[in-house]
Amino acid sequence: MKYFTILFIFLSFCVYGQEKEFVDNLRLYKLDAAEKQISDLPKESHQAAIWQIAFRKRFNKESLLFKSAPHLSKPNDQGFGDFLYYLNLGDYYCYNTLDLNEKASDNYKAALSLADALENEQLISEALKRILILHRLHYLYNNKTYKPFLARYKTVAYDDHELAYFHYFNLILNFKNYQTENWDPDSYVWLTNYFKKNNVPYLQGVSETVFASYFEETKQLDSVWFYAYRAVDKLSSIPYGYKGSRLNQVYCFMTRIALLEMDYDKAKKFKDSATAHKFSSIDLKFESLGYYQQSVIDSANGNYLQAYDQSMKYRVSMAAIEKAAQNNLFNDLEVKYQAAEKERQLIIVKEDTLRNKNVAIALGGILLFIIVISILVYKNTKRKQRIAEQEHELELQKKEKILKNQELTTIDAMIAGQEKERQRLASDLHDSVGATLAAAKLQFYHLSKNRDMGDQTDELFTKTGKLLEDAYAEIRAMAHVKNSGVIAKNGLLPAVQKLAKNASGINGLRIEVEDFGLEERLENSLEITIFRIIQELVTNIIKHSQATEASISINQYEDSLNIIIEDNGTGFNPRSILKKDSMGLSSIEKRIEHIEGTLEIDSTLGKGATILIDIPL
């Protein structure tokens, strides 16, 4: 028993070490290293870990993966998996819309409570950072609710990186309403010294944006531009999408400074950069400010009609943002009002009950008797109805199962026949064309030995030409036959990797393949069907998208296979394409339906396309 206890403690320590290293890579934005560690984490936390890394890499609230957060299963492990689950939901509501702050706050606080229960200072710090970021992004600067969280974060900051974040929050949250008397010079000096010794581009970029705002208030414009340009450089150096909204914020700030200096060309350049891409709900504010800034630029250039149009867009968009913020505050007040109203009603009910106790008991007994009789009658009726519906449902299911089995049998037979035919064609190519070319080679050998023998040489030329014509005819007959034997021999993943390698380089296209959980092979006919679907989608990318980059992600879970195919091409309108079926998408959709899978298409003209396929196993 003693040895089992020691072994259990040792294994628990190993799992904790893997989780700690994973969080370390996340907080330092070493996302590729964190991604490689997922397989070492407890299995119940894999799905949440995959979402968190993909969210930071892409940081796009319109992506299918981002939208999947509320539908992910909760691990219920009361540990690391549940912590990531709450953190993911908080991130989803924080960056999705402007009126879901309460939901974001509730989930971040649930993550904090769980971290407290686990007595894990690393997870406590991560939850506190999210709560402080939420205050930074969405709450009014003059609120006091952040103060206890900021004070606690200072006490749990366990290394210099966490202390750096504390000093950043201390500056941005206390420098409210841009009042210079609230500026903490100690935090500013600490951060500048830290950035000289450490390469942390994201934290340095957002901190130096705050520095630039402070120096704007103190009228030191040289320092404003110095920190603003350096913030852009630091954020631009990050290869992942999580920098997006913060970079838009810096450009929006630089637009305002350029307008103050009346440099309208520079202001136009920065404004266009700030509104070029929207990554989260925060960018709606920058888009709205962009309308106002463009109206100032147009007015300065004498384009008064355009200036008026931009000004109206600014007013409409700001009204929508303010309405969303008011809805959030109203919902909070409404909840408090409802709670107070319920409490008042309870007091009234108790007083009435005391005054009319005997009458209430009698009426209650009669009412209870009527309710019981009604429930019994209702239950009996519903039970009979439910039995009839179940019998009808079972009959329909039996018929559907028979039809589906017949359809699947037909598909399996078709796939088996196709594979057999491809193998036969490959064999014919070897035996027939190979023999013909061998004979042609022999004739060339004779020609080289007898090139000066007159009529005999002409005869050899004639025979050789005939052999080459025969070989050409045989090859042409088989030219469009595709042999998927590589799937039968090596499996789905090697076949997809080979497909990506062969397709890369065509029209300057580069295709990457990512996989997770494909340790064991699938049933052969299912692998072939999936390969054909991916092959058709890759062909569409090559023929239609004009993309330079594409990715194929294959993730296998316990009961499902998830495939995501993305490209950065010209995009398309999914509805019109499905109606015309000019890209074979209807055929692909039918193949997926045959294996009980689902297909989702997310594409916009000029912004590439994302295909999401889920197949039950």
Side-chain angles (χ1 to χ4, degrees), residues 272-289:
D272 290 342
S273 297
T275 58
H277 303 286
K278 289 191 287 294
F279 300 90
S280 69
S281 60
I282 305 164
D283 297 305
L284 295 175
K285 298 177 182 178
F286 305 141
E287 182 182 45
S288 180
L289 287 172

Side-chain angles (χ1 to χ4, degrees), residues 334-391:
E334 180 68 15
V335 170
K336 293 177 181 177
Y337 169 77
Q338 291 293 342
E341 184 66 18
K342 285 181 180 179
E343 188 175 348
R344 189 177 70 84
Q345 291 294 334
L346 284 173
I347 294 171
I348 293 173
V349 169
K350 286 180 181 178
E351 291 174 352
D352 289 343
T353 301
L354 290 173
R355 285 195 303 266
N356 306 295
K357 185 175 182 182
N358 293 331
V359 176
I361 291 173
L363 290 174
I366 296 170
L367 182 62
L368 180 63
F369 177 77
I370 294 172
I371 290 173
V372 169
I373 296 298
S374 301
I375 289 174
L376 290 174
V377 172
Y378 175 76
K379 282 189 174 180
N380 188 49
T381 305
K382 291 297 290 183
R383 184 174 62 83
K384 291 179 180 178
Q385 183 180 356
R386 188 165 58 251
I387 291 171
E389 289 176 351
Q390 288 176 347
E391 290 176 350

Side-chain angles (χ1 to χ4, degrees), residues 300-353:
N301 292 328
N303 301 321
Y304 300 112
L305 187 60
Q306 294 177 17
Y308 175 77
D309 181 59
Q310 293 294 316
S311 178
M312 292 303 296
K313 287 181 178 180
Y314 167 70
R315 292 182 182 182
V316 170
S317 60
M318 281 302 296
I321 292 171
E322 289 171 2
K323 183 179 179 181
Q326 289 169 359
N327 285 343
N328 191 40
L329 293 173
F330 174 78
N331 290 338
D332 188 31
L333 293 173
E334 180 68 15
V335 170
K336 293 177 181 177
Y337 169 77
Q338 291 293 342
E341 184 66 18
K342 285 181 180 179
E343 188 175 348
R344 189 177 70 84
Q345 291 294 334
L346 284 173
I347 294 171
I348 293 173
V349 169
K350 286 180 181 178
E351 291 174 352
D352 289 343
T353 301

